[in-house]
Amino acid sequence: MPIVLVLLFVFLLLALWVVLLPISLWQRYRYGRSRRMARGWLLVFNAWSLMASVAIFLAMSAIGLFWWPDSLLGAGAGLAAGALLGLLGLWLTRWEVAPQGVFYQPNAWLALLMVAIVAARIVLGFVQMAHYWQAGHAMPTHALLSGHGSLLAVAGLLLGYYLVYAWGVKWRVTRLQRLRGYGAR
């Protein structure tokens, strides 16, 4: 009887994940394109937190070289592509200086692109899992399209994008506040 309850619990968790995943992706898109007030302390915290996350990510990707030969290549390629997208995102961001402070609104198309990349990687994972079950062994693919290579590339893309975007927003908001005389540090 306890094994049936455990299996039921696992099935319910899986069903909950299937239901909540599209909702969480939609919410990520909605937040990704929303207008935000730039708060200095939050911008600094976000920028430095992302810097620490990238350092940890690169260290873990380097350790992963023992098991996955191209893990650092996937991570680095993703970070580089993400940094370029972050620069594009800064260029496409709408800025507004108001008496309440500086507001910015990220580009909706780039927010949609980031969500679509995450969704595509999830679908690719399910396709790879189905191929593995049908063939009974791992399908030979290029390292960046294999499970770990593309996972690290997508993670690097997201981290690179948000790192460059966070530091760029921090720099731009400080500059706008100084130009308008709002006394930023």
Side-chain angles (χ1 to χ4, degrees):
M1 184 66 172
I3 191 103
V4 173
L5 290 176
V6 170
L7 290 174
L8 180 65
F9 180 71
V10 169
F11 176 74
L12 288 175
L13 280 179
L14 183 62
L16 184 65
W17 179 78
V18 167
V19 169
L20 292 180
L21 182 65
I23 295 170
S24 69
L25 289 173
W26 174 251
Q27 285 296 91
R28 180 65 221 152
Y29 168 69
R30 283 187 56 210
Y31 178 73
R33 66 181 178 92
S34 66
R35 179 178 177 256
R36 305 172 197 162
M37 181 176 187
R39 292 176 167 66
W41 68 271
L42 189 58
L43 294 175
V44 170
F45 178 76
N46 193 23
W48 284 106
S49 297
L50 280 164
M51 185 71 77
S53 296
V54 167
I56 293 168
F57 173 68
L58 285 174
M60 292 298 111
S61 295
I63 291 172
L65 284 172
F66 290 113
W67 298 280
W68 310 298
D70 291 333
S71 64
L72 204 53
L73 175 66
L79 281 170
L84 291 175
L85 279 176
L87 290 173
L88 178 65
L90 280 170
W91 186 63
L92 295 174
T93 297
R94 279 194 248 147
W95 302 93
E96 177 186 343
V97 179
Q100 300 86 4
V102 176
F103 293 86
Y104 65 100
Q105 183 174 7
N107 184 274
W109 289 104
L110 273 178
L112 182 62
L113 177 66
M114 293 296 143
V115 171
I117 288 171
V118 171
R121 181 55 189 97
I122 292 169
V123 169
L124 178 63
F126 281 117
V127 168
Q128 288 174 334
M129 184 173 53
H131 284 174
Y132 179 77
W133 282 349
Q134 288 175 355
H137 63 288
M139 302 292 287
T141 59
H142 186 273
L144 286 180
L145 293 179
S146 70
H148 303 296
S150 62
L151 273 176
L152 291 172
V154 169
L157 181 95
L158 295 173
L159 279 172
Y161 172 79
Y162 288 113
L163 176 72
V164 169
Y165 192 78
W167 281 96
V169 167
K170 180 185 168 311
W171 175 78
R172 182 77 187 258
V173 166
T174 302
R175 188 169 160 246
L176 286 172
Q177 287 175 336
R178 284 188 182 146
L179 287 175
R180 296 291 286 175
Y182 288 116
R185 284 182 257 166

